[in-house]
Amino acid sequence: MIKYLWLLVSVVLLGACQQPEKKPAAQKDSTAAVTPTATATNFYKQLKGSLAGQPVTMHLIRTGELAYQGWYVYDKIGDPIQLLNEPDSASKITLLEYSSQDEANTFYGQLSPDGHFTGTWKSAKGEYNFDLKEDYTQAVQFNIFTFSDTVTLFYNNPKSPMGIASASIVWPVSGADEATLNVIKQVIAASSNNLNNPEMLVKAPVDTFLQFYKNSRDDADTNALGASWDWSTQTDTRVVWNQYPLLVLENAEYAYTGGAHGNWGSGFHVIDLSKKKELKVTDVFKPGYKTQLSNALAKAFRKKYNLPANEPLDKRFLFSKTIAPNDNFFLTSKGVVFNYTPYEIAAYAVGQITLFIPFEDVKTIVNEAYLP
């Protein structure tokens, strides 16, 4: 678990390090000088094919040179697996599965001009070739917008620390009617006024963070400026599930503002495209669902972390003997997923906890409209 937590943070910081180099001390901020755009080199692709004889679907996003991220799922299981970029000296696309287990399941592949992602998937149990092809059947298509910027804490100090910020968002462009696309945009934009301006939307968190960084100058001791003043942040909106009538988006955030480590976590949004609305827990589950759902979450946790049935949840891992359902959830065609950010129910070292519950375990408390 520690290995994968470190990997996630290092990937975020790698993305930040790919931004512009430190400016001369006399140069002022460049925040207002750059306009984010959607480019042909950055993209979202939905890819389908088979892996080890099982049908899979992958959501692959490129946000920069050799900067890839995404999710994939075994279609028959329906439990999405996060994919993290791992830099590769051979310029291949290398994606490591984020897992609670000490397994280094990894995709090594390349994209061809005709829309195929081919290569080898390797694990401790063996390796398999794969050939995944673009397929947007019953799926929404997206453009990718990215933006990054840097500022120095003290303009006239050549040893000044630096603030680094970057962001990326997916932006729906086709695959649904205009009213449905607008609902998706509203979810991505949240409370922002930039509903029809993705360029400004992706720029906003970068500007906000760097302004916060600059406003912290008065708190800095110019005689003791160490690495703890090299602040950074990264926010990304990704596609997790994209099969009508459900669309799932992840809003992932990382921020380092001094101290021993940064803070990170993801919030998920599930949209019922047929009803043109973002779902709440109470839209999916029947009244009185919490006790049964809590038991199902405990079962899912024990399975994922190999915890014996007779061992209390709080003995090695959690803060409490039970896991209460929260509002950070999403659906797939096979089940429901609940997400808990670091410190929410366990220590930081455990990382983000994402628990998949098959519908079979909770079908009596799920509204029939969302059962397969």
Side-chain angles (χ1 to χ4, degrees):
M1 284 182 294
I2 302 290
K3 172 184 177 182
Y4 291 89
L5 173 60
W6 173 86
L7 175 67
L8 180 58
V9 174
S10 66
V11 166
V12 171
L13 292 178
L14 174 67
C17 291
Q18 293 174 339
Q19 298 164 41
E21 297 180 357
K22 184 176 288 188
K23 301 177 288 295
Q27 185 174 339
K28 294 189 176 182
D29 308 344
S30 62
T31 306
V34 182
T35 301
T37 58
T39 67
T41 57
N42 295 334
F43 55 70
Y44 160 76
K45 295 182 184 293
Q46 178 169 279
L47 303 158
K48 288 182 174 288
S50 62
L51 179 61
Q54 298 296 319
V56 298
T57 300
M58 179 181 292
H59 305 285
L60 183 64
I61 292 175
R62 172 179 162 137
T63 57
E65 184 178 3
L66 298 180
Y68 297 90
Q69 51 192 288
W71 291 77
Y72 89 104
V73 64
Y74 290 88
D75 297 340
K76 293 182 179 180
I77 299 174
D79 180 10
I81 301 169
Q82 187 175 6
L83 296 171
L84 305 174
N85 183 77
E86 186 174 71
D88 188 292
S89 58
S91 298
K92 290 184 177 180
I93 300 174
T94 304
L95 301 166
L96 181 65
E97 296 181 16
Y98 177 68
S99 170
S100 62
Q101 309 301 322
D102 291 328
E103 298 177 356
N105 299 343
T106 308
F107 287 87
Y108 300 93
Q110 293 180 316
L111 282 167
S112 63
D114 61 351
H116 284 256
F117 179 40
T118 59
T120 304
W121 179 86
K122 297 182 180 180
S123 74
K125 299 177 182 178
E127 60 181 70
Y128 300 88
N129 294 330
F130 64 85
D131 182 356
L132 309 181
K133 184 179 181 180
E134 285 187 73
D135 187 335
Y136 300 99
T137 305
Q138 293 191 312
V140 178
Q141 296 188 48
F142 294 87
N143 281 340
I144 303 296
F145 288 83
T146 65
F147 184 66
S148 61
D149 199 10
T150 62
V151 297
T152 52
L153 191 62
F154 298 102
Y155 300 135
N156 298 316
N157 184 341
K159 296 182 179 181
S160 173
M162 175 167 284
I164 305 174
S166 64
S168 71
I169 60 170
V170 295
W171 198 249
V173 292
S174 63
D177 59 63
E178 195 64 29
T180 303
L181 294 179
N182 282 335
V183 170
I184 300 170
K185 292 175 183 178
Q186 289 170 1
V187 171
I188 296 171
S191 59
S192 172
N193 294 323
N194 296 313
L195 180 60
N196 296 311
N197 194 334
E199 292 90 350
M200 294 302 297
L201 184 64
V202 73
K203 189 173 180 290
V206 172
D207 291 348
T208 298
F209 180 84
L210 295 182
Q211 186 60 53
F212 173 67
Y213 181 65
K214 291 185 291 184
N215 291 343
S216 301
R217 287 169 179 153
D218 291 342
D219 297 327
D221 181 356
T222 55
N223 296 315
L225 293 175
S228 64
W229 278 100
D230 286 322
W231 292 9
S232 63
T233 187
Q234 182 167 337
T235 63
D236 298 286
T237 302
R238 309 174 182 130
V239 178
V240 180
W241 184 270
N242 190 0
Q243 179 182 311
Y244 188 87
L246 297 176
L247 173 68
V248 176
L249 302 175
E250 175 197 17
N251 182 38
E253 298 184 1
Y254 171 86
Y256 176 76
T257 55
H261 55 70
N263 292 315
W264 61 282
S266 294
F268 292 88
H269 305 272
V270 54
I271 304 169
D272 185 330
L273 302 175
S274 64
K275 296 181 179 179
K276 296 178 173 57
K277 64 176 291 187
E278 181 177 2
L279 298 179
K280 299 178 180 179
V281 173
T282 52
D283 294 320
V284 177
F285 293 97
K286 299 176 181 178
Y289 67 88
K290 291 186 177 180
T291 298
Q292 186 174 338
L293 194 53
S294 179
N295 293 335
L297 285 166
K299 178 182 176 181
F301 183 89
R302 291 182 183 280
K303 179 181 178 180
K304 186 169 186 176
Y305 292 89
N306 297 317
L307 189 66
N310 61 348
E311 185 172 321
L313 295 180
D314 61 345
K315 183 176 181 179
R316 290 184 292 160
F317 291 95
L318 305 185
F319 297 145
S320 173
K321 296 180 183 296
T322 60
I323 303 175
N326 60 12
D327 296 325
N328 194 4
F329 84 109
F330 64 89
L331 300 178
T332 73
S333 64
K334 303 296 183 181
V336 58
V337 181
F338 281 84
N339 185 69
Y340 300 87
T341 56
Y343 290 128
E344 187 173 352
I345 62 173
Y348 184 87
V350 180
Q352 183 160 264
I353 298 172
T354 304
L355 302 175
F356 172 76
I357 302 172
F359 279 132
E360 185 64 27
D361 290 355
V362 291
K363 60 184 179 181
T364 60
I365 56 172
V366 177
N367 289 323
E368 285 74 11
Y370 296 107
L371 290 174

